[in-house]
């Protein structure tokens, strides 16, 4: 790689993007990030150049990508809120892909999701499926990496489960709790992303961990690791969502969304 070359990570201030950027920096790679929050404190002590997404200014977005060898795209939204919707996220990502084409980016590594489906009734999975189609039809050399639940010290789902287990003797599970999860450690996800970035062939990679748990089993495992005893109660999905909203007020977070409950119960 020439000294002037660099790689771009969207959302390096966020979850997966932060881990990718850290690994690239450790490997001696020059890194830029595109973010929706360029004014936030830079967690990389100035080692990462920060630029805005500029979805509304495609020419500026393309210029910010000129010279990039690889674009690692983690941009997405967890749920619709205000003017930020899944449909808007799809259009923004299409704008990013077009800008990468114009800028001559050599390789796109895109984070999708396991079981993405352009025909899905669930907007999250449908949006991811539509983008997979769009990227495959683009002019870019591309890898589409499809994770399940990515866990680490910083993830949302596992830490929210742990918080509830620590604070309540009862854990409400939507439905029968037998639907499966195959969690993937975030550093293993980064391994897959960087390996995909080093290649030139078009790839579609399932990013899954080695173990499959039912949701009930996962809750019990976390409780054991925390030396807590918890009673699992199976609830109708709407009641579980209501309980999660009440807990969300306590933790200052969105604990669970309707879309996530639907995806879990559909075994996606």
């Amino acid at each position: 790689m020439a000294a002037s070359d660099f790689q771009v990570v969207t959302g390096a201030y966020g979850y997966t993007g932060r881990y990718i950027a850290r690994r690239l920096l450790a490997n001696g790679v020059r890194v830029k990030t595109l973010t929706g929050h360029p004014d936030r404190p830079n967690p990389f002590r100035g080692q990462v150049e920060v630029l805005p997404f500029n979805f509304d200014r495609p020419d500026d977005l393309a210029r910010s990508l000129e010279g990039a060898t690889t674009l690692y795209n983690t941009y997405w939204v967890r749920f619709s809120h205000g003017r930020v919707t899944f449909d808007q996220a799809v259009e923004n990502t299409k704008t990013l892909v077009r800008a990468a084409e114009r800028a001559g980016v050599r390789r796109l590594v895109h984070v999708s999701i396991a079981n993405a489906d352009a025909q899905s009734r669930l907007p999250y999975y449908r949006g991811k499926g539509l983008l997979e189609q769009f990227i495959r039809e683009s002019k870019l050399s591309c890898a589409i990496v499809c994770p399940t639940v990515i866990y680490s010290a910083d993830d949302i789902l596992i830490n929210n489960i742990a918080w509830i287990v620590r604070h309540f003797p009862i854990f409400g599970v939507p439905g029968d709790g037998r639907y499966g999860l195959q969690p993937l450690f975030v550093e293993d996800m980064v391994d897959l992303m960087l390996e995909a970035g080093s290649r030139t062939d078009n790839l579609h990679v399932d990013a899954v961990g080695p173990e499959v748990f039912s949701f009930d089993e996962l809750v019990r495992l976390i409780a054991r690791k925390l030396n807590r005893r918890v009673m699992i109660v199976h609830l109708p999905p709407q009641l579980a969502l209501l309980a999660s909203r009440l807990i969300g007020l306590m933790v200052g977070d969105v604990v669970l969304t309707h879309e996530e409950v639907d995806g879990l119960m559909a075994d996606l």
Side-chain angles (χ1 to χ4, degrees):
M1 180 181 293
S4 60
D5 288 344
F6 63 92
Q7 298 183 10
V8 176
V9 181
T10 64
Y13 286 7
Y15 178 33
T16 310
R18 183 168 68 254
Y19 281 87
I20 295 169
R22 284 175 182 167
R23 182 76 67 81
L24 290 172
L25 289 172
N27 291 345
V29 176
R30 182 180 165 213
V31 180
K32 293 185 181 182
T33 187
L34 301 177
T35 175
H37 306 282
D39 297 327
R40 285 184 179 174
N42 189 320
F44 300 100
R45 299 180 181 179
Q47 291 178 287
V48 174
E49 183 178 347
V50 181
L51 298 165
F53 273 125
N54 285 330
F55 292 128
D56 57 340
R57 299 201 301 276
D59 291 343
D60 290 346
L61 181 57
R63 277 192 289 272
S64 68
L65 294 171
E66 289 177 356
T69 57
T70 308
L71 169 61
Y72 294 93
N73 180 41
T74 71
Y75 168 76
W76 191 240
V77 294
R78 183 182 166 207
F79 51 86
S80 295
H81 53 98
R83 292 184 296 176
V84 181
T85 65
F86 291 121
D87 288 343
Q88 187 61 56
V90 169
E91 292 308 310
N92 287 346
T93 306
K94 288 181 178 180
T95 299
L96 177 66
V97 172
R98 293 188 192 103
E101 287 179 322
R102 288 178 56 191
V105 173
R106 298 178 202 168
R107 182 73 165 168
L108 168 64
V109 183
H110 172 75
V111 177
S112 185
I113 191 171
N115 299 303
D117 182 357
Q119 304 303 317
S120 175
R121 64 180 179 83
L122 303 177
Y124 192 110
Y125 291 85
R126 182 171 63 250
K128 287 287 193 180
L130 289 169
L131 285 175
E132 287 191 13
Q133 288 182 354
F134 185 81
I135 290 167
R136 283 195 296 267
E137 294 168 1
S138 75
K139 300 174 184 177
L140 295 169
S141 164
C142 64
I144 298 171
V145 182
C146 305
T148 52
V149 174
I150 304 172
Y151 71 91
S152 74
D154 308 315
D155 84 279
I156 294 172
L157 177 65
I158 305 298
N159 279 298
N160 280 338
I161 292 174
W163 189 93
I164 295 168
V165 166
R166 285 191 184 100
H167 290 84
F168 296 96
I170 296 174
F171 193 102
V173 171
D176 62 18
R178 289 183 290 184
Y179 36 83
L181 296 95
Q182 199 166 352
L184 176 72
F185 184 48
V186 68
E187 295 290 358
D188 293 331
M189 176 67 176
V190 175
D191 287 342
L192 284 171
M193 295 286 287
L194 268 61
E195 197 275 333
S198 70
R199 297 173 59 162
T200 58
D201 53 330
N202 291 344
L203 299 172
H204 190 279
V205 181
D206 287 328
V208 297
E211 298 172 285
V212 180
F213 304 92
S214 71
F215 197 88
D216 280 5
E217 288 171 339
L218 184 63
V219 173
R220 292 192 183 103
L221 173 62
I222 292 170
R224 285 199 305 273
K225 295 299 181 181
L226 296 173
N227 294 315
R228 299 284 296 177
R229 296 182 66 179
V230 65
M231 177 187 296
I232 292 177
V233 178
H234 297 113
L235 302 174
Q238 292 301 328
L239 185 56
L241 274 171
L242 176 60
S244 76
R245 290 191 185 106
L246 294 175
I247 294 170
L249 295 175
M250 300 172 67
V251 300
D253 192 11
V254 177
V255 174
L256 196 61
T257 70
H258 195 288
E259 186 91 3
E260 288 164 347
V261 169
D262 286 346
L264 283 167
M265 295 185 66
D267 221 16
L268 298 178

